[in-house]
């Protein structure tokens, strides 16, 4: 049995770069302690990186009795990274400087016209505009990270057979190659849930969280897991498999190939639409009857309108879905034991009480001790998490 060779150890400059990327502003003393470098070696490396415009001085820290320490940070203008989210309902793209400050952003709906070629053209136009408005030299765009719905072949840069895209043409799309040819910059593909978790983990860097779970509830359910500060990968890239978790034996089935009684049949946009149509056909009383023009015409936008009108029928649907989501979360937490659980997606953002309901149900069913109590959160980055995490990948992969 053979094993893959271990990846090469990062260079001392790369270790300094990564530390500053994670910590922001750092003193020489902190770098010496964290990276186990001698004062002479570290001074030489810092001077070289300043001369290369990778780092810059950022003033002085507080004195502990002697000279005030010099502080360092990454030069925000050394390079820029773009992050692209490709999702079923909405997609977005953003440009970040070296200190992960967002400089430009665009977001659009994924309708029936948004083919791969249309999306690539929109990204190209966005980057050209961002360069002009911020005076960015083309060569300073270091790369584009892509966070996309699965299933993917990340190594080949291919979006394989995603479900529920409104536009045709999204099967077996070599998205990395197509974007690299059009944009002329390196691109990397990761599933969107993993990218979001990378972003949210960076946002919590001061808390030193090592074990995390990310769950996104939209058209389908997507999840990502982090253990020991690293994303956990399986034998295949099926980020939506959480939706196939069976939570009710002999329960309903959402899709022809899905499991009966699976979580996606209770807690997803599709489930909400299907349940609303069925109940309306059985005589359910709701403003949806007037808004949608009939059960068969109903979609999620109609549910949001009714929800904004405080329609009790729709509120009950969302509350029930959130409760089932809590059951699924409890199952995951009991297996994975994360320190923090980040929840996002349309169900959580549309219905204000969904987060409280889901987490309360989950907390009641989580087996814990006095030493272990998971923390639930909506996250820091929220809707920006995927594009942020995708751009962060560019800097993580950067050779310094």
């Amino acid at each position: 049995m053979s094993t893959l060779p271990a990846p090469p150890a990062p260079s001392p400059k790369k270790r300094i770069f990564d530390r500053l990327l994670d910590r922001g502003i750092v003193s020489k003393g902190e770098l010496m302690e964290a990276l186990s470098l001698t004062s002479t070696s570290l001074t030489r490396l810092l001077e070289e990186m300043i001369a290369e415009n990778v780092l810059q001085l950022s003033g002085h820290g507080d004195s502990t009795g002697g000279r005030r320490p010099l502080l360092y940070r990454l030069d925000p203008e050394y390079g820029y990274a773009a992050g692209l989210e490709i999702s079923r309902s909405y997609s977005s793209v953003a440009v970040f400087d070296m200190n992960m400050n967002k400089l430009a952003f665009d977001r659009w709906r994924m309708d029936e016209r948004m083919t791969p070629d249309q999306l690539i053209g929109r990204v190209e136009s966005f980057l050209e505009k961002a360069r002009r408005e911020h005076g960015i030299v083309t060569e300073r765009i270091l790369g584009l990270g892509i966070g996309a719905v699965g299933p993917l072949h990340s190594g080949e840069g291919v979006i394989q057979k995603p479900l529920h895209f409104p536009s045709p043409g999204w099967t077996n799309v070599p998205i990395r190659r197509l974007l690299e040819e059009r944009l002329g910059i390196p691109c990397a593909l990761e599933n969107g849930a993993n990218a979001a978790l990378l972003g949210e983990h960076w946002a919590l860097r001061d808390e030193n969280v090592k074990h995390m779970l990310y769950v996104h509830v939209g058209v389908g359910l997507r999840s990502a897991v982090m253990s020991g500060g690293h994303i956990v990968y399986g034998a295949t890239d099926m980020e939506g498999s959480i939706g196939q978790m069976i939570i009710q034996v002999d329960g309903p089935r959402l899709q022809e190939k899905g499991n009966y009684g699976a979580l996606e049949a209770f807690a997803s946009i599709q489930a909400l639409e299907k349940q609303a149509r069925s109940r309306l056909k059985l005589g359910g009383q709701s403003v949806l009857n007037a808004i949608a023009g009939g059960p068969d015409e109903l979609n999620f936008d109609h549910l949001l309108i009714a929800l904004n009108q405080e329609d009790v029928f729709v509120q009950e649907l969302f509350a029930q879905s959130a409760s089932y989501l809590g059951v699924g979360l409890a199952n995951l937490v009991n297996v994975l034991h994360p320190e923090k659980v980040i929840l996002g997606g349309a169900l959580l953002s549309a219905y204000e009480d969904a987060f409280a309901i889901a987490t309360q149900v989950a907390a009641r069913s989580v087996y814990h001790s006095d030493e272990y109590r998971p923390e639930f959160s909506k996250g820091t980055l929220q809707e920006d998490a995927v594009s942020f995490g995708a751009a962060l990948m560019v800097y993580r992969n950067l050779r310094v």
Side-chain angles (χ1 to χ4, degrees):
M1 180 178 179
S2 62
T3 59
L4 293 174
S11 68
K13 285 186 179 181
K14 176 61 173 173
R15 292 169 63 202
I16 294 171
F17 178 90
D18 287 343
R19 185 70 180 179
L20 289 168
L21 179 64
D22 283 334
R23 308 308 301 174
I25 298 175
V26 180
S27 70
K28 179 182 175 182
E30 291 175 79
L31 288 170
M32 286 178 58
E33 182 178 355
L35 305 180
S36 301
L37 295 171
T38 65
S39 177
T40 301
S41 296
L42 181 58
T43 297
R44 174 178 55 80
L45 291 169
L46 290 173
E47 289 175 350
E48 288 178 4
M49 295 177 77
I50 289 175
E52 295 162 355
N53 296 319
V54 179
L55 308 184
Q56 61 182 203
L57 290 170
S58 186
H60 292 80
D62 295 331
S63 173
T64 57
R67 296 169 57 186
R68 296 172 63 194
L70 291 172
L71 301 178
Y72 300 86
R73 69 167 184 167
L74 296 176
D75 186 334
E77 297 181 359
Y78 174 76
Y80 303 84
L84 169 64
E85 174 182 8
I86 302 177
S87 192
R88 298 179 180 95
S89 300
Y90 289 90
S91 290
S92 63
V93 62
V95 172
F96 299 84
D97 69 15
M98 192 70 81
N99 291 314
M100 294 308 297
N101 297 307
K102 185 168 65 176
L103 305 181
F105 178 79
D106 187 25
R107 181 177 173 86
W108 60 91
R109 188 155 190 164
M110 294 291 284
D111 58 23
E112 65 280 356
R113 298 167 296 177
M114 192 53 63
T115 62
D117 189 61
Q118 288 291 320
L119 181 139
I120 291 168
R122 180 148 189 163
V123 172
E124 182 180 31
S125 297
F126 164 80
L127 288 179
E128 289 176 354
K129 181 180 179 183
R131 286 168 179 156
R132 291 196 308 270
E133 292 183 348
H134 294 275
I136 300 172
V137 178
T138 301
E139 292 72 22
R140 291 294 91 194
I141 300 289
L142 304 178
L144 170 74
I146 311 159
V149 294
L152 311 172
H153 194 313
S154 299
E156 299 295 328
V158 175
I159 297 176
Q160 294 178 305
K161 296 180 180 179
L163 298 174
H164 318 306
F165 267 62
S167 170
W170 282 98
T171 299
N172 294 325
V173 179
I175 191 68
R176 186 183 67 195
R177 175 177 63 78
L178 294 174
L179 280 163
E180 285 181 340
E181 290 175 351
R182 185 76 71 89
L183 304 177
I185 57 176
C187 298
L189 177 64
E190 177 63 275
N191 84 48
N194 285 347
L197 182 51
L198 287 171
E200 292 289 0
H201 181 250
W202 185 92
L204 296 171
R205 59 200 183 282
D206 291 337
E207 298 182 24
N208 196 32
V209 179
K210 297 293 185 181
H211 308 283
M212 295 178 67
L213 169 66
Y214 173 84
V215 176
H216 182 279
V217 188
V219 175
L221 287 94
R222 301 150 65 184
S223 64
V225 178
M226 178 175 285
S227 179
H230 301 284
I231 295 291
V232 176
Y233 293 93
T236 185
D237 197 341
M238 294 292 292
E239 65 171 0
S241 57
I242 177 183
Q244 295 305 311
M245 178 197 304
I246 298 172
I247 62 171
Q248 185 181 101
V249 177
D250 298 326
R253 189 185 197 189
L254 186 61
Q255 300 294 335
E256 292 181 2
K257 295 183 180 180
N259 287 329
Y260 289 97
L263 182 59
E264 69 170 8
F266 300 92
S268 66
I269 288 178
Q270 295 178 88
L272 285 166
E273 293 173 337
K274 187 174 182 179
Q275 292 161 10
R277 293 184 192 114
S278 298
R279 295 189 189 186
L280 289 178
K281 289 178 179 178
L282 293 174
Q285 298 301 306
S286 168
V287 297
L288 288 170
N289 288 305
I291 295 171
D296 291 333
E297 305 299 321
L298 183 143
N299 59 40
F300 189 63
D301 288 337
H302 298 135
L303 293 177
L304 295 180
I305 294 171
L307 196 61
N308 289 333
Q309 295 182 19
E310 300 184 351
D311 181 73
V312 175
F313 175 92
V314 175
Q315 289 176 333
E316 290 177 351
L317 285 176
F318 274 82
Q320 185 179 55
S321 287
S323 181
Y324 278 114
L325 174 61
V327 174
L329 290 174
N331 291 336
L332 289 168
V333 170
N334 285 330
V335 172
L336 301 170
H337 301 116
E339 300 166 82
K340 189 178 286 285
V341 181
I342 307 291
L343 303 178
L347 190 149
L348 280 300
S349 60
Y351 183 51
E352 186 175 348
D353 294 335
F355 177 83
I357 294 171
T359 55
Q360 287 168 10
V361 170
R364 288 198 300 266
S365 303
V366 167
Y367 180 81
H368 59 74
S369 63
D370 292 338
E371 292 77 28
Y372 173 66
R373 291 180 183 272
E375 181 181 346
F376 296 92
S377 168
K378 293 182 180 180
T380 301
L381 303 174
Q382 301 186 12
E383 290 187 348
D384 289 339
V386 176
S387 59
F388 188 101
L392 186 63
M393 290 192 311
V394 175
Y395 293 133
R396 295 282 188 221
N397 297 332
L398 189 65
R399 294 183 179 181
V400 179

